[in-house]
Amino acid sequence: MKKDDCIFCKIAAGEIPSQCIYEDGLFKVILDLGPATKGHSLIIPKDHYEDLFEIPEETAAQAMVLAKRLSARLMEKLHADGLNLVQNNKETAGQTVKHFHLHMIPRYKDDMQNILWKPGEVTQDELALIKETITG
Ligand code: AMP
Ligand code: ZN
């Protein structure tokens, strides 16, 4: 299923140009146009799902298998030193394109990027309360 005004639906359909590094019946994988690092790629399902909450479990699982396979290739071909998988959902979490996608970001020593977060502080009691909220 496609959405008319969706840029990633158009890329998946080949209506907007992209540098495609992999394609099959379900996914198109392209180089990001605003890369965090060399080789920053996006795994895009060809069908339109807005985010993690909409994508079917089976498709999400297939995206992760593809990420594992292509990440190894990026590491090897680009001589990367590490790799981040990033997947943003909703504006608050940094999602700018509302069509599910999984970022593969190769990392290089001294690439000066910062995809990590500043650790907060929490007590065991606070953790226990949060656990109750999630599991209760
Ligand atoms: P997110 O912030 O997780 O929604 O990521 C959206 C990503 O899509 C950003 O990294 C953009 O650089 C990338 N992007 C947006 N438009 C294009 C495009 N036409 N071709 C390739 N990447 C794109
Ligand atoms: Zn779409």
Short mmCIF file of all heavy atoms in Angstrom, two decimals, residues 55-101:
data_model
loop_
_atom_site.label_atom_id
_atom_site.label_comp_id
_atom_site.label_asym_id
_atom_site.label_seq_id
_atom_site.Cartn_x
_atom_site.Cartn_y
_atom_site.Cartn_z
N ILE A 55 3.95 -0.99 11.56
CA ILE A 55 4.54 -2.01 10.70
C ILE A 55 4.19 -3.40 11.25
O ILE A 55 4.25 -3.63 12.47
CB ILE A 55 6.08 -1.80 10.58
CG1 ILE A 55 6.67 -2.69 9.47
CG2 ILE A 55 6.80 -2.04 11.90
CD1 ILE A 55 8.13 -2.37 9.14
N PRO A 56 3.81 -4.34 10.39
CA PRO A 56 3.51 -5.69 10.88
C PRO A 56 4.76 -6.33 11.49
O PRO A 56 5.88 -6.06 11.04
CB PRO A 56 3.09 -6.45 9.61
CG PRO A 56 2.74 -5.40 8.60
CD PRO A 56 3.57 -4.21 8.94
N GLU A 57 4.55 -7.18 12.48
CA GLU A 57 5.68 -7.82 13.17
C GLU A 57 6.58 -8.55 12.18
O GLU A 57 7.81 -8.50 12.29
CB GLU A 57 5.18 -8.80 14.23
CG GLU A 57 4.64 -8.11 15.46
CD GLU A 57 4.27 -9.09 16.57
OE1 GLU A 57 4.41 -10.32 16.36
OE2 GLU A 57 3.84 -8.61 17.63
N GLU A 58 5.98 -9.24 11.24
CA GLU A 58 6.79 -10.04 10.32
C GLU A 58 7.69 -9.16 9.45
O GLU A 58 8.86 -9.49 9.21
CB GLU A 58 5.86 -10.88 9.43
CG GLU A 58 6.60 -12.00 8.75
CD GLU A 58 5.74 -12.73 7.70
OE1 GLU A 58 4.51 -12.59 7.74
OE2 GLU A 58 6.34 -13.42 6.87
N THR A 59 7.16 -8.03 9.01
CA THR A 59 7.96 -7.11 8.19
C THR A 59 9.08 -6.49 9.03
O THR A 59 10.21 -6.32 8.55
CB THR A 59 7.06 -6.01 7.59
OG1 THR A 59 5.89 -6.63 7.05
CG2 THR A 59 7.77 -5.24 6.50
N ALA A 60 8.77 -6.16 10.28
CA ALA A 60 9.78 -5.61 11.17
C ALA A 60 10.91 -6.62 11.38
O ALA A 60 12.10 -6.27 11.37
CB ALA A 60 9.15 -5.22 12.51
N ALA A 61 10.53 -7.86 11.54
CA ALA A 61 11.53 -8.92 11.74
C ALA A 61 12.41 -9.05 10.49
O ALA A 61 13.64 -9.18 10.59
CB ALA A 61 10.84 -10.24 12.06
N GLN A 62 11.77 -8.99 9.33
CA GLN A 62 12.54 -9.09 8.07
C GLN A 62 13.47 -7.89 7.90
O GLN A 62 14.59 -8.04 7.39
CB GLN A 62 11.57 -9.21 6.89
CG GLN A 62 10.91 -10.57 6.83
CD GLN A 62 9.70 -10.59 5.88
OE1 GLN A 62 8.84 -9.72 5.92
NE2 GLN A 62 9.65 -11.59 5.04
N ALA A 63 13.04 -6.72 8.35
CA ALA A 63 13.90 -5.52 8.27
C ALA A 63 15.14 -5.73 9.13
O ALA A 63 16.26 -5.35 8.74
CB ALA A 63 13.12 -4.28 8.72
N MET A 64 14.97 -6.33 10.28
CA MET A 64 16.12 -6.54 11.17
C MET A 64 17.10 -7.57 10.60
O MET A 64 18.32 -7.41 10.71
CB MET A 64 15.63 -6.96 12.56
CG MET A 64 16.72 -7.07 13.59
SD MET A 64 17.71 -5.56 13.77
CE MET A 64 16.67 -4.59 14.85
N VAL A 65 16.57 -8.60 9.98
CA VAL A 65 17.44 -9.59 9.34
C VAL A 65 18.25 -8.93 8.22
O VAL A 65 19.46 -9.15 8.10
CB VAL A 65 16.61 -10.78 8.78
CG1 VAL A 65 17.48 -11.69 7.93
CG2 VAL A 65 15.97 -11.56 9.93
N LEU A 66 17.57 -8.08 7.45
CA LEU A 66 18.26 -7.36 6.37
C LEU A 66 19.31 -6.41 6.95
O LEU A 66 20.42 -6.29 6.42
CB LEU A 66 17.21 -6.57 5.56
CG LEU A 66 17.62 -5.97 4.25
CD1 LEU A 66 18.26 -7.00 3.33
CD2 LEU A 66 16.40 -5.33 3.57
N ALA A 67 18.97 -5.75 8.04
CA ALA A 67 19.93 -4.85 8.70
C ALA A 67 21.18 -5.61 9.13
O ALA A 67 22.30 -5.13 8.96
CB ALA A 67 19.27 -4.17 9.90
N LYS A 68 21.00 -6.77 9.65
CA LYS A 68 22.15 -7.57 10.08
C LYS A 68 23.06 -7.88 8.89
O LYS A 68 24.27 -7.70 8.93
CB LYS A 68 21.68 -8.86 10.76
CG LYS A 68 22.81 -9.79 11.12
CD LYS A 68 22.34 -10.93 11.99
CE LYS A 68 23.40 -12.03 12.10
NZ LYS A 68 24.70 -11.56 12.59
N ARG A 69 22.43 -8.31 7.80
CA ARG A 69 23.20 -8.71 6.63
C ARG A 69 23.91 -7.50 5.98
O ARG A 69 25.10 -7.54 5.70
CB ARG A 69 22.24 -9.35 5.62
CG ARG A 69 22.92 -10.27 4.63
CD ARG A 69 21.92 -10.83 3.62
NE ARG A 69 20.75 -11.43 4.25
CZ ARG A 69 19.54 -11.43 3.70
NH1 ARG A 69 19.32 -10.87 2.53
NH2 ARG A 69 18.52 -12.01 4.32
N LEU A 70 23.15 -6.40 5.79
CA LEU A 70 23.74 -5.24 5.10
C LEU A 70 24.73 -4.50 5.99
O LEU A 70 25.70 -3.90 5.49
CB LEU A 70 22.63 -4.31 4.61
CG LEU A 70 21.75 -4.89 3.50
CD1 LEU A 70 20.63 -3.91 3.14
CD2 LEU A 70 22.58 -5.19 2.25
N SER A 71 24.51 -4.53 7.29
CA SER A 71 25.46 -3.87 8.21
C SER A 71 26.83 -4.51 8.09
O SER A 71 27.86 -3.82 8.09
CB SER A 71 24.97 -3.97 9.65
OG SER A 71 23.82 -3.19 9.84
N ALA A 72 26.86 -5.82 7.98
CA ALA A 72 28.14 -6.53 7.84
C ALA A 72 28.82 -6.11 6.54
O ALA A 72 30.04 -5.91 6.49
CB ALA A 72 27.90 -8.04 7.87
N ARG A 73 28.02 -5.94 5.51
CA ARG A 73 28.57 -5.52 4.22
C ARG A 73 29.13 -4.10 4.30
O ARG A 73 30.22 -3.80 3.79
CB ARG A 73 27.46 -5.61 3.16
CG ARG A 73 27.94 -5.38 1.75
CD ARG A 73 26.79 -5.53 0.76
NE ARG A 73 27.21 -5.22 -0.58
CZ ARG A 73 27.78 -6.09 -1.41
NH1 ARG A 73 27.96 -7.33 -1.03
NH2 ARG A 73 28.16 -5.71 -2.61
N LEU A 74 28.38 -3.20 4.92
CA LEU A 74 28.86 -1.81 5.08
C LEU A 74 30.16 -1.78 5.86
O LEU A 74 31.11 -1.07 5.50
CB LEU A 74 27.79 -0.96 5.78
CG LEU A 74 26.50 -0.67 5.01
CD1 LEU A 74 25.49 0.04 5.89
CD2 LEU A 74 26.79 0.18 3.78
N MET A 75 30.20 -2.53 6.95
CA MET A 75 31.41 -2.58 7.78
C MET A 75 32.61 -3.02 6.94
O MET A 75 33.68 -2.41 7.00
CB MET A 75 31.23 -3.58 8.93
CG MET A 75 30.30 -3.14 10.03
SD MET A 75 30.98 -1.87 11.09
CE MET A 75 32.18 -2.81 12.04
N GLU A 76 32.38 -4.06 6.17
CA GLU A 76 33.50 -4.63 5.41
C GLU A 76 33.93 -3.72 4.25
O GLU A 76 35.10 -3.37 4.11
CB GLU A 76 33.07 -6.00 4.87
CG GLU A 76 34.19 -6.74 4.16
CD GLU A 76 33.67 -7.88 3.28
OE1 GLU A 76 32.61 -8.44 3.61
OE2 GLU A 76 34.32 -8.17 2.27
N LYS A 77 32.96 -3.30 3.44
CA LYS A 77 33.30 -2.55 2.23
C LYS A 77 33.82 -1.15 2.53
O LYS A 77 34.63 -0.60 1.78
CB LYS A 77 32.06 -2.44 1.32
CG LYS A 77 31.58 -3.77 0.81
CD LYS A 77 32.40 -4.25 -0.37
CE LYS A 77 31.77 -5.49 -0.99
NZ LYS A 77 32.54 -6.00 -2.12
N LEU A 78 33.29 -0.54 3.61
CA LEU A 78 33.68 0.84 3.92
C LEU A 78 34.75 0.91 5.01
O LEU A 78 35.14 1.98 5.44
CB LEU A 78 32.44 1.65 4.34
CG LEU A 78 31.36 1.77 3.25
CD1 LEU A 78 30.12 2.45 3.80
CD2 LEU A 78 31.90 2.55 2.05
N HIS A 79 35.18 -0.25 5.46
CA HIS A 79 36.20 -0.32 6.52
C HIS A 79 35.77 0.51 7.74
O HIS A 79 36.56 1.29 8.28
CB HIS A 79 37.56 0.16 6.00
CG HIS A 79 37.98 -0.56 4.75
ND1 HIS A 79 38.35 -1.89 4.75
CD2 HIS A 79 38.04 -0.15 3.46
CE1 HIS A 79 38.64 -2.26 3.50
NE2 HIS A 79 38.44 -1.23 2.70
N ALA A 80 34.52 0.33 8.13
CA ALA A 80 34.01 1.06 9.29
C ALA A 80 34.52 0.39 10.58
O ALA A 80 34.90 -0.78 10.59
CB ALA A 80 32.48 1.08 9.27
N ASP A 81 34.51 1.18 11.66
CA ASP A 81 34.98 0.66 12.95
C ASP A 81 33.82 0.25 13.86
O ASP A 81 34.03 -0.35 14.92
CB ASP A 81 35.81 1.75 13.66
CG ASP A 81 36.98 2.18 12.80
OD1 ASP A 81 37.79 1.32 12.43
OD2 ASP A 81 37.07 3.38 12.47
N GLY A 82 32.59 0.63 13.47
CA GLY A 82 31.40 0.30 14.27
C GLY A 82 30.18 0.67 13.45
O GLY A 82 30.29 1.13 12.32
N LEU A 83 29.01 0.46 14.03
CA LEU A 83 27.78 0.80 13.29
C LEU A 83 26.62 0.95 14.27
O LEU A 83 26.46 0.14 15.17
CB LEU A 83 27.47 -0.32 12.28
CG LEU A 83 26.30 -0.06 11.34
CD1 LEU A 83 26.62 -0.54 9.93
CD2 LEU A 83 25.02 -0.74 11.82
N ASN A 84 25.85 2.02 14.10
CA ASN A 84 24.63 2.21 14.88
C ASN A 84 23.41 1.89 14.03
O ASN A 84 23.32 2.34 12.88
CB ASN A 84 24.49 3.66 15.35
CG ASN A 84 25.53 4.09 16.35
OD1 ASN A 84 26.42 4.86 16.03
ND2 ASN A 84 25.44 3.59 17.56
N LEU A 85 22.48 1.14 14.61
CA LEU A 85 21.14 1.03 14.04
C LEU A 85 20.28 2.03 14.80
O LEU A 85 20.28 2.03 16.03
CB LEU A 85 20.55 -0.37 14.26
CG LEU A 85 21.10 -1.53 13.44
CD1 LEU A 85 20.31 -2.79 13.77
CD2 LEU A 85 21.03 -1.24 11.96
N VAL A 86 19.55 2.87 14.06
CA VAL A 86 18.71 3.88 14.70
C VAL A 86 17.34 3.83 14.04
O VAL A 86 17.24 3.68 12.81
CB VAL A 86 19.32 5.29 14.53
CG1 VAL A 86 18.42 6.36 15.11
CG2 VAL A 86 20.71 5.37 15.17
N GLN A 87 16.31 3.96 14.85
CA GLN A 87 14.95 3.91 14.29
C GLN A 87 14.08 4.85 15.11
O GLN A 87 13.82 4.62 16.28
CB GLN A 87 14.44 2.45 14.34
CG GLN A 87 13.33 2.14 13.36
CD GLN A 87 11.99 2.54 13.91
OE1 GLN A 87 11.64 2.15 15.03
NE2 GLN A 87 11.24 3.33 13.17
N ASN A 88 13.66 5.95 14.50
CA ASN A 88 12.94 7.00 15.20
C ASN A 88 11.43 6.89 14.98
O ASN A 88 11.00 6.63 13.85
CB ASN A 88 13.42 8.37 14.72
CG ASN A 88 14.91 8.58 14.94
OD1 ASN A 88 15.46 8.15 15.95
ND2 ASN A 88 15.59 9.23 14.01
N ASN A 89 10.67 7.10 16.04
CA ASN A 89 9.21 7.04 15.96
C ASN A 89 8.58 8.27 16.60
O ASN A 89 8.83 8.50 17.79
CB ASN A 89 8.68 5.78 16.65
CG ASN A 89 9.22 4.53 16.01
OD1 ASN A 89 8.78 4.14 14.93
ND2 ASN A 89 10.23 3.93 16.63
N LYS A 90 7.80 9.00 15.83
CA LYS A 90 7.11 10.23 16.25
C LYS A 90 8.11 11.39 16.34
O LYS A 90 9.30 11.18 16.59
CB LYS A 90 6.39 10.07 17.60
CG LYS A 90 5.54 8.81 17.75
CD LYS A 90 4.27 8.88 16.93
CE LYS A 90 3.42 7.64 17.15
NZ LYS A 90 2.38 7.47 16.12
N GLU A 91 7.56 12.58 16.12
CA GLU A 91 8.37 13.80 16.08
C GLU A 91 9.25 13.97 17.31
O GLU A 91 10.42 14.35 17.21
CB GLU A 91 7.43 15.01 15.99
CG GLU A 91 7.42 15.66 14.61
CD GLU A 91 6.39 16.77 14.54
OE1 GLU A 91 6.55 17.78 15.26
OE2 GLU A 91 5.42 16.59 13.79
N THR A 92 8.69 13.68 18.47
CA THR A 92 9.44 13.87 19.72
C THR A 92 10.71 13.04 19.74
O THR A 92 11.71 13.43 20.36
CB THR A 92 8.54 13.47 20.92
OG1 THR A 92 7.36 14.26 20.86
CG2 THR A 92 9.22 13.67 22.25
N ALA A 93 10.68 11.92 19.06
CA ALA A 93 11.85 11.03 19.01
C ALA A 93 12.71 11.30 17.77
O ALA A 93 13.63 10.54 17.48
CB ALA A 93 11.40 9.58 19.04
N GLY A 94 12.40 12.38 17.05
CA GLY A 94 13.26 12.76 15.92
C GLY A 94 12.82 12.25 14.57
O GLY A 94 13.56 12.37 13.59
N GLN A 95 11.62 11.66 14.49
CA GLN A 95 11.17 11.17 13.18
C GLN A 95 10.73 12.35 12.32
O GLN A 95 9.87 13.13 12.71
CB GLN A 95 9.99 10.18 13.34
CG GLN A 95 9.55 9.57 12.00
CD GLN A 95 8.45 8.52 12.16
OE1 GLN A 95 7.83 8.39 13.22
NE2 GLN A 95 8.20 7.78 11.10
N THR A 96 11.35 12.47 11.15
CA THR A 96 11.00 13.56 10.24
C THR A 96 10.25 13.04 9.00
O THR A 96 9.49 13.77 8.40
CB THR A 96 12.25 14.33 9.77
OG1 THR A 96 13.15 13.41 9.14
CG2 THR A 96 12.95 15.00 10.94
N VAL A 97 10.48 11.79 8.62
CA VAL A 97 9.76 11.19 7.50
C VAL A 97 8.84 10.12 8.05
O VAL A 97 9.29 9.13 8.65
CB VAL A 97 10.73 10.58 6.46
CG1 VAL A 97 9.94 9.92 5.33
CG2 VAL A 97 11.66 11.65 5.90
N LYS A 98 7.53 10.33 7.84
CA LYS A 98 6.54 9.45 8.48
C LYS A 98 6.24 8.22 7.63
O LYS A 98 5.09 7.96 7.24
CB LYS A 98 5.29 10.26 8.81
CG LYS A 98 5.61 11.34 9.82
CD LYS A 98 4.43 11.74 10.65
CE LYS A 98 4.89 12.51 11.86
NZ LYS A 98 4.19 13.76 12.08
N HIS A 99 7.29 7.50 7.35
CA HIS A 99 7.22 6.20 6.66
C HIS A 99 8.34 5.41 7.33
O HIS A 99 9.51 5.82 7.27
CB HIS A 99 7.46 6.41 5.16
CG HIS A 99 7.51 5.15 4.33
ND1 HIS A 99 6.79 4.97 3.17
CD2 HIS A 99 8.22 4.00 4.50
CE1 HIS A 99 7.05 3.78 2.66
NE2 HIS A 99 7.93 3.17 3.45
N PHE A 100 8.00 4.31 7.98
CA PHE A 100 8.98 3.54 8.77
C PHE A 100 10.31 3.39 8.02
O PHE A 100 10.32 3.07 6.82
CB PHE A 100 8.43 2.14 9.05
CG PHE A 100 9.41 1.25 9.79
CD1 PHE A 100 9.36 1.13 11.17
CD2 PHE A 100 10.41 0.55 9.11
CE1 PHE A 100 10.27 0.33 11.84
CE2 PHE A 100 11.32 -0.25 9.77
CZ PHE A 100 11.25 -0.36 11.14
N HIS A 101 11.39 3.58 8.70
CA HIS A 101 12.72 3.32 8.12
C HIS A 101 13.71 3.04 9.23
O HIS A 101 13.57 3.50 10.35
CB HIS A 101 13.19 4.48 7.24
CG HIS A 101 13.14 5.81 7.93
ND1 HIS A 101 11.96 6.51 8.09
CD2 HIS A 101 14.10 6.56 8.52
CE1 HIS A 101 12.20 7.63 8.73
NE2 HIS A 101 13.49 7.68 9.01
#
